[in-house]
Amino acid sequence: MRKLVALTLLGASLASVWQRFLAFRDKLNISQKEEPVEPQNCHLVEGIEYGSEDIDILPSGLAFISSGLKYPGMPNFAPDEPGKIFLMNLNEQNPRAQALKISDGFDQELFNPHGISTFIDKDYTVYLYVVNHPHMKSTVEIFKFEEQQRSLVHLKTIKHKLLKRVNDIVVLGPEQFYATRDHYFTSFFMSLIEMILDLRWCYVLFYSPREVKVVAKGFNSANGITVSPDQKYVYVADVMAKNIHVMKKHDNGDLTQLKVIQLDTLVDNLTVDPATGDILAGCHPNPLKLLFYNPEDPPGSEVLRIQNVLSEEPGVSTVYANNGSVLQGSSVASVYQGKMLIGTIFHKALYCEL
Ligand SMILES: [Ca+2]
Ligand SMILES: [Ca+2]
């Protein structure tokens, strides 16, 4: 009798796992969007070949681009090359990407940059915060940007037991930021299991010198994060759940969820159009092609614009869509005065005049 009960329980749990696997497969099996959407004046950015996972543009038009991400399960064309931060001045006629020098005393060989966020202090000093994965761990690196020298001076490495599997950050003040956790487990195999079982163990962390706390949880895979121009709202992409969480930000760093904008594509990094407050989302329309990379049939790219974010029915439109013939695995898009930069996890970067 006991054996029968055990067998029944085993059968039931296997069936449940199988159900979850089928749901997971369906989630990834998004049909290719039919119509390409490409602004007229777009060209690939010279010099960026190994990814441009995140992009942050200063109000002055200087764009920072993180490049060379090595991430479990994702393709990488230069596994032995350390990551870089590129700079582009979008005020120039033909902006060029230039790799920034990094000050001595920082281990550049292990530099594996992921999400980035800039912060301008009261004295106008520009700081760049970078999620780094040396040896696949997660740290947050703080750099001071020296515009004249075109260099980054490393100031500090932040580590914390809750800063694990960090994907993106958004800086609020000196050493104060939100960070997203994209997986609970650190190994690729276990994080795949985690996605298949649809565990919702990921969170958003509030970090400040005085207090570190989880301020939002229950995400399948918390990815891109940014704040509204008035700093009152925080937007978080749950990539596997294909949605964007709109949250109200409180003075003590706490977040209250206002709503979830459901989309039909995997949402990676988020930026805000400073002119309109719209969200721009870098998306993955063919996640299976990302996981099983084939240069003959590469993953495509997709950028969505979400208007009237706080209204009852935000408008969603496609700003860019390509089947991978031009740009593969788009992870971010950022705009500045009629110009747009689209970044990718492991591929090139695209510059468009809108
Ligand atoms: Ca970011
Ligand atoms: Ca990301």
Side-chain angles (χ1 to χ4, degrees):
M1 185 64 189
R2 233 189 249 165
K3 272 186 185 160
L4 189 65
V5 172
L7 270 177
T8 313
L9 285 176
L10 180 69
S13 47
L14 281 178
S16 156
V17 168
W18 181 243
Q19 286 293 330
R20 298 235 174 166
F21 174 76
L22 292 179
F24 174 69
R25 193 198 56 180
D26 288 348
K27 201 187 279 183
L28 295 188
N29 204 9
I30 304 166
S31 60
Q32 179 76 51
K33 305 281 184 297
E34 330 74 60
E35 288 299 313
V37 178
E38 286 169 30
Q40 286 202 326
N41 291 311
C42 290
H43 63 83
L44 293 167
V45 178
E46 208 179 304
I48 299 184
E49 303 290 334
Y50 308 128
S52 41
E53 207 273 341
D54 204 8
I55 299 173
D56 199 334
I57 306 178
L58 292 174
S60 66
L62 290 179
F64 294 91
I65 303 166
S66 75
S67 179
L69 174 66
K70 290 142 201 92
Y71 185 92
M74 285 296 123
N76 183 282
F77 298 147
D80 299 324
E81 271 202 38
K84 289 183 180 131
I85 302 291
F86 284 94
L87 184 77
M88 275 177 92
N89 183 351
L90 300 188
N91 299 298
E92 289 172 4
Q93 252 326 332
N94 295 302
R96 294 183 166 274
Q98 181 185 16
L100 290 173
K101 285 179 287 195
I102 297 180
S103 64
D104 294 340
F106 173 71
D107 194 340
Q108 293 187 47
E109 286 301 310
L110 292 179
F111 194 31
N112 187 6
H114 198 168
I116 60 174
S117 177
T118 53
F119 168 66
I120 306 172
D121 213 344
K122 288 190 190 82
D123 63 0
Y124 303 109
T125 308
V126 173
Y127 296 91
L128 182 71
Y129 285 56
V130 182
V131 174
N132 186 16
H133 301 298
H135 298 299
M136 294 301 162
K137 293 187 164 55
S138 288
T139 59
V140 172
E141 312 291 347
I142 307 178
F143 297 97
K144 186 168 88 169
F145 173 53
E146 309 235 301
E147 191 174 343
Q148 295 302 319
Q149 291 87 343
R150 291 283 192 264
S151 69
L152 294 170
V153 177
H154 185 252
L155 300 180
K156 190 169 182 172
T157 298
I158 294 179
K159 297 178 187 172
H160 191 276
K161 63 178 193 297
L162 291 174
L163 281 172
K164 290 223 177 81
R165 291 300 307 254
V166 182
N167 192 296
D168 195 15
I169 47 170
V170 61
V171 185
L172 309 166
E175 291 186 36
Q176 200 181 90
F177 54 84
Y178 289 115
T180 55
R181 180 169 187 161
D182 62 14
H183 286 97
Y184 181 80
F185 293 104
T186 39
S187 81
F188 174 61
F189 178 72
M190 282 310 290
S191 40
L192 197 61
I193 298 289
E194 173 187 353
M195 287 193 285
I196 292 172
L197 293 182
D198 195 18
L199 304 180
R200 291 170 180 260
W201 292 357
C202 294
Y203 53 70
V204 176
L205 192 72
F206 172 75
Y207 184 97
S208 74
R210 273 187 302 164
E211 192 181 17
V212 182
K213 58 186 175 183
V214 172
V215 286
K217 54 188 178 182
F219 296 92
N220 191 314
S221 185
N223 198 306
I225 186 164
T226 195
V227 287
S228 61
D230 60 9
Q231 301 258 322
K232 286 185 180 164
Y233 303 96
V234 172
Y235 310 133
V236 184
D238 188 335
V239 58
M240 291 306 296
K242 301 181 192 167
N243 59 32
I244 298 172
H245 293 242
V246 178
M247 312 186 116
K248 187 165 169 47
K249 174 174 158 288
H250 301 278
D251 290 342
N252 63 358
D254 285 355
L255 296 175
T256 316
Q257 181 158 302
L258 295 182
K259 64 169 164 183
V260 175
I261 301 172
Q262 192 61 46
L263 301 165
D264 188 28
T265 181
L266 274 73
V267 197
D268 202 317
N269 295 336
L270 307 174
T271 65
V272 164
D273 182 339
T276 58
D278 297 348
I279 297 176
L280 287 147
C283 304
H284 304 293
N286 335 100
L288 273 184
K289 293 186 188 178
L290 267 180
L291 278 174
F292 303 99
Y293 183 76
N294 171 8
E296 304 298 318
D297 184 22
S301 289
E302 185 178 28
V303 174
L304 300 181
R305 177 184 282 273
I306 296 111
Q307 291 170 295
N308 305 316
V309 178
L310 298 170
S311 72
E312 290 270 307
E313 278 193 43
V316 179
S317 55
T318 306
V319 181
Y320 182 82
N322 174 266
N323 62 5
S325 59
V326 176
L327 200 66
Q328 306 175 7
S330 57
S331 51
V332 64
S334 195
V335 291
Y336 169 77
Q337 294 189 356
K339 292 143 187 176
M340 173 169 68
L341 274 172
I342 307 177
T344 65
I345 299 177
F346 58 89
H347 196 236
K348 301 164 192 253
L350 195 72
Y351 172 80
C352 297
E353 285 174 5
L354 301 173

